[in-house]
Amino acid sequence: MKLANVSHKSLVFDGRAVVVCQKPSKYMRINIRSSLESSQPIIKLTCPPRATNEAILAFIQAHKEWIDNVCAHIAQARGEIVEILQEHCDEVLLFGKWVPTMPLIELRAILHTYLVQRADVFANAMGVRFSKLAVRKSMSRLGSCTQDRLSFSILLVFAPQEEIDYVIIHELAHIVHNNHSAQFWGLVGAHCPRWRSLRKSIKSRWRLFSALLDRLEQESSQQAKLPTQASPQSHNVDIGSQLLFDF
């Protein structure tokens, strides 16, 4: 199996550090996420291997206003999130409720069980079938559907069950309509009348969910370094930042 040629470097633009990841890709893309360790957000730019520094800086300059706006919003939200995490330092959100903290592997198993059960219920009601359901560490999408294969983000374990149900229904509807047409939203609305308010609610807490996941991963990493601990479970890592709310 041939491994993709990926290289990393750092640039500074307008006083901000930018992590540049050059790998086989057609387009440049900028992802921005908050950091628990620093007040400065993490800015990552992905670009083709042959992209020059001049082209990279020109791309960043062209999107400077958007970058400034996102960074300002993250800075404001970060203060609120830090206060929440400090208040619940020994707890984690499980289906929208604070409970004593537990390992990420247990949360993943709980979420997977819930997703399978509810997806079966809604698939029967909607008259569709799915062939596979997976839980992944996706920071860019809460759910996706490829033909009849469903994938959901681990971030959903922090959300209330009603919001999770909306995401499930949304992805199942893509088995019928591989778009976001009026027919698609009609099918979603028929099985989830409150989809608009649920969509807005889960969007509003996405950064808190991301921060919770970061903290759990840090705790897992620290536990894995202890000599009495077993080898940590490997995860597919995607450090994408800005959630693509197309659902």
Side-chain angles (χ1 to χ4, degrees):
M1 180 178 177
K2 186 178 180 181
L3 297 177
N5 184 20
V6 180
S7 64
H8 295 83
K9 61 182 178 181
S10 296
L11 296 175
V12 177
F13 179 84
D14 198 26
R16 295 191 178 104
V18 179
V19 177
V20 178
C21 176
Q22 292 182 290
K23 64 180 182 180
S25 58
K26 293 183 179 180
Y27 310 104
M28 290 191 190
R29 182 181 66 181
I30 298 175
N31 288 327
I32 307 175
R33 66 179 298 186
S34 58
S35 170
L36 289 180
E37 294 80 18
S38 171
S39 59
Q40 296 299 318
I42 299 170
I43 304 175
K44 178 186 176 184
L45 183 144
T46 303
C47 64
R50 295 184 179 181
T52 64
N53 285 351
E54 290 75 14
I56 292 171
L57 290 173
F59 183 81
I60 297 174
Q61 178 63 49
H63 296 83
K64 182 179 182 302
E65 183 177 355
W66 174 81
I67 292 172
D68 289 343
N69 290 338
V70 172
C71 288
H73 184 72
I74 287 177
Q76 179 180 358
R78 182 183 182 278
E80 299 172 358
I81 291 171
V82 169
E83 290 184 5
I84 293 173
L85 294 182
Q86 289 175 344
E87 182 180 352
H88 299 276
C89 59
D90 296 320
E91 296 178 303
V92 66
L93 278 174
L94 176 60
F95 297 148
K97 297 180 180 180
W98 291 104
V99 300
T101 191
M102 63 181 70
L104 186 58
I105 188 173
E106 292 185 21
L107 291 170
R108 182 188 292 266
I110 292 171
L111 176 62
H112 186 270
T113 298
Y114 181 83
L115 288 169
V116 170
Q117 292 174 348
R118 297 299 283 168
D120 281 338
V121 171
F122 291 125
N124 289 332
M126 298 169 71
V128 300
R129 291 185 177 182
F130 62 95
S131 62
K132 183 179 179 180
L133 188 152
V135 175
R136 306 185 188 280
K137 184 196 168 183
S138 172
M139 303 291 284
S140 59
R141 295 181 189 275
L142 290 180
S144 64
C145 175
T146 304
Q147 295 179 339
D148 61 352
R149 301 187 300 274
L150 307 178
S151 178
F152 297 96
S153 171
I154 184 63
L155 295 178
L156 287 174
V157 76
F158 307 129
Q161 292 176 338
E162 190 176 13
E163 295 176 6
I164 301 173
D165 288 350
Y166 156 64
V167 179
I168 295 171
I169 292 169
H170 181 111
E171 300 309 332
L172 287 171
H174 276 310
I175 297 177
V176 182
H177 304 287
N178 190 23
N179 51 47
H180 290 99
S181 62
Q183 292 79 9
F184 168 84
W185 289 114
L187 179 58
V188 172
H191 297 274
C192 184
R194 296 184 55 244
W195 69 265
R196 289 183 178 84
S197 61
L198 294 171
R199 179 175 182 262
K200 181 178 180 180
S201 178
I202 200 169
K203 284 172 61 176
S204 69
R205 293 193 304 280
W206 169 74
R207 287 193 174 88
L208 172 60
F209 296 167
S210 298
L212 274 171
L213 182 60
D214 282 342
R215 186 170 74 178
L216 285 170
E217 290 190 319
Q218 290 174 15
E219 292 172 353
S220 297
S221 177
Q222 292 171 359
Q223 289 295 322
K225 293 177 182 179
L226 296 177
T228 56
Q229 290 293 117
S231 298
Q233 182 189 31
S234 61
H235 300 288
N236 293 326
V237 177
D238 176 5
I239 60 171
S241 61
Q242 201 155 14
L243 191 53
L244 305 179
F245 290 111
D246 62 350
F247 56 85

